[in-house]
Amino acid sequence: MSRLHRAGSALLHTWRASLQVRVAVTTLVISGLVVVLLGFVLLNQIRDGLLQAKTRAATVQLDFGLQHAEDQFNAIDQPSQASVRGTASSVVSDLAGRGSDALNYGVAIVSTTGGDSASTADFSPGESIPAALVRTVAREQREAWAYTVIRHRDGTREPGLAVGGPVQTDTADYQLFYLFPLRQESQTLSLVERTMLFSGIALVLLLVAIAALVTRQVVRPVRVAAATAERLAAGRLRDRMVVRGEDDLASLASSFNRMAETVEHQISQLRELSRVQRRFVADVSHELRTPITTIRMAADVLHDARGDLPPELARSAELLQAQLDRFEALLADLLEISRHDAGAATLEAEPIDLCGLVANVLDSAAPIAVRRGCAVEVDVPDEPVVVEVDPRRVQRILRNLVSNAIEHGEGCPVQVRLRGGPGGVALTVQDQGRGLRPGEAALVFGRFWRADPARARTSGGTGLGLSIAMEDARLHGGYLQAWGEPGRGSVFRLTLPWQVGGDIGEPPLTLDPDLRRTADDTVPEGVIGG
């Protein structure tokens, strides 16, 4: 059964993937149906023509036989049973003697009054002449014919044609019948059938070959265009199609080449713009470091001396220090985002125990949790969960998720869970704060996105943390997901493969806190890199 399933799948794939195969198979089916229909009609016409010709020849032979029989019976001077019987036998002998190898017919004279009958010796008239034909001739006193099966005295049978008519005489009441075998007609019809069968098969195969050839001429440029498009998508922007002739396919190739040139030009412009943008960000960040360093030195002096300053100046020094910290964090995040955008971000992967990494992150987030009055509950396995990751990037992801949960948890407990399974490693961070409104799970990973724009950032976030976390997860071959409902809090799940770039199956931790598997959990909003 599996072999049949694989064969069926392979045929279905071939049918869907090849236009040439579909056209050839469609031509085969349609032409086959047309040839069968035409063959059926032609065979019926030929068969009817052969039988009609045979019937006309048999009728002509019957007319002669009836006239000869009437003449012989009317020539009897003194009718008697013996003379009538002898005349009947003589008529049968005379008429049968007129037959040739081509005709090879049988003759029978049948008495309608129960008298003696006469026939040629090679067939049985009682079994070969249809009773309905005999009744028709006797009742309507006219010539008639019918198809029959001729039964020879040696036991063989063959299809035949029976014709008969009444013998118009005063001395006897007889009916004359001819039995014509249809052997030659059957052989002719069989020859025609074989000829039409082989001719039809040859015609269908020829049509399929023509259709495949014509389709190939049309499909080949399309395949060349598809291959060229694949090379363009792979970055080989200078590849072009070869233009041959001046037909529609040549016009397609010319249009495709013009499109490729336009795309190459636009991509070159975008690359140059991206290069200028990255250079601008790098130059700006580099140029900003010098004044920031100077401002930092002055701010540190003011911050250290704030005890000797008036209250309003001391407060200003504290605000300056906090905003400089935030500005430096924002500058670092912008540089990190620019590295991801440029594809310059790299991994320094090594085997790390995620349990220890989670403990380090929670230790660093403890002051924020104490300040917010939030308890952090940890649920990790007792045994180490060793995963090949970049510890700096994964620690940054966890730190971002935990700090966001503490900030938006509104003082409620935050739960951190870690599990490993065949589908990979999953870590969830759940808070019980305001939650996410419908549709926000897909927006929460946007840059500078905020659920409530009017709400201040009390922990000094830059608005790029989740975007960078998403890119870091994708860089490992994993993904980051979000779930939330108003009033029920939110859950963020990080799923990573055991090795960088490895396969990921069903995560060992559910995204829904109520453990309800739904379609949104299977393909949730905000899935990045999965």
Side-chain angles (χ1 to χ4, degrees), residues 104-117:
N104 191 23
Y105 54 80
V107 182
I109 288 184
V110 180
S111 174
T112 59
T113 59
D116 294 332
S117 300

Side-chain angles (χ1 to χ4, degrees), residues 14 20 34 42 54 123 177 182-184 202-203 222 231 288 322 347 407 469 478-479:
T14 304
Q20 187 174 5
V34 171
L42 290 177
K54 188 69 172 181
F123 71 96
F177 292 96
L182 298 178
R183 185 184 313 110
Q184 185 176 0
L203 177 61
V222 177
R231 292 194 295 272
L288 285 177
L347 286 177
E407 179 184 355
Y479 52 86

Side-chain angles (χ1 to χ4, degrees), residues 226-408:
T228 306
E230 291 291 338
R231 292 194 295 272
L232 291 174
R236 299 167 59 180
L237 300 179
R238 296 189 178 276
D239 282 5
R240 297 293 185 269
M241 293 183 62
V242 179
V243 181
R244 295 187 178 91
E246 301 178 355
D247 55 6
D248 295 337
L249 296 177
S251 177
L252 172 63
S254 300
S255 300
F256 185 90
N257 290 340
R258 288 194 297 270
M259 179 193 68
E261 292 174 358
T262 303
V263 171
E264 180 186 7
H265 179 67
Q266 292 179 351
I267 290 179
S268 299
Q269 288 183 333
L270 291 175
R271 285 178 175 175
E272 180 64 22
L273 180 61
S274 177
R275 187 190 65 81
V276 172
Q277 182 182 12
R278 293 195 302 270
R279 181 64 181 271
F280 174 77
V281 173
D283 291 344
V284 168
S285 62
H286 177 73
E287 294 299 329
L288 285 177
R289 288 188 180 278
T290 300
I292 287 178
T293 301
T294 304
I295 296 173
R296 166 65 69 183
M297 294 173 60
D300 289 341
V301 172
L302 292 175
H303 188 268
D304 293 339
R306 68 184 183 280
D308 300 331
L309 298 176
E312 62 275 8
L313 295 180
R315 178 59 179 165
S316 298
E318 292 175 354
L319 291 176
L320 177 62
Q321 185 78 5
Q323 292 305 315
L324 277 174
D325 292 339
R326 184 180 177 188
F327 187 80
E328 288 181 340
L330 177 61
L331 184 59
D333 287 348
L334 285 174
L335 288 174
E336 188 65 24
I337 283 291
S338 66
R339 293 190 191 96
H340 283 291
D341 291 341
T346 58
L347 286 177
E348 297 179 1
E350 59 181 277
I352 292 294
D353 180 14
L354 288 186
C355 296
L357 208 61
V358 170
N360 294 336
V361 170
L362 295 181
D363 289 341
S364 63
I368 303 176
V370 172
R371 188 170 60 250
R372 298 287 296 179
C374 176
V376 180
E377 301 174 358
V378 184
D379 180 10
V380 298
D382 295 332
E383 64 278 3
V385 181
V386 180
V387 186
E388 184 184 15
V389 295
D390 186 335
R392 179 180 65 86
R393 295 185 182 277
V394 173
Q395 188 171 8
R396 180 168 57 193
I397 297 174
L398 300 182
R399 184 170 59 248
N400 188 279
L401 297 180
V402 172
S403 61
N404 282 345
I406 293 174
E407 179 184 355
H408 298 285

Side-chain angles (χ1 to χ4, degrees), residues 67 84 88 105 108 110 121 134 179 190 217 250 306 328 331 339 376 378 423 429 467 469 485 491 498 515 520:
Q67 184 63 44
V84 170
Y105 54 80
V110 180
V134 175
L179 291 173
S190 298
Q217 293 180 351
R306 68 184 183 280
E328 288 181 340
L331 184 59
R339 293 190 191 96
V376 180
V378 184
V429 179
S467 298
E485 288 184 3
V491 180
W498 288 101
L515 303 179
D520 291 337

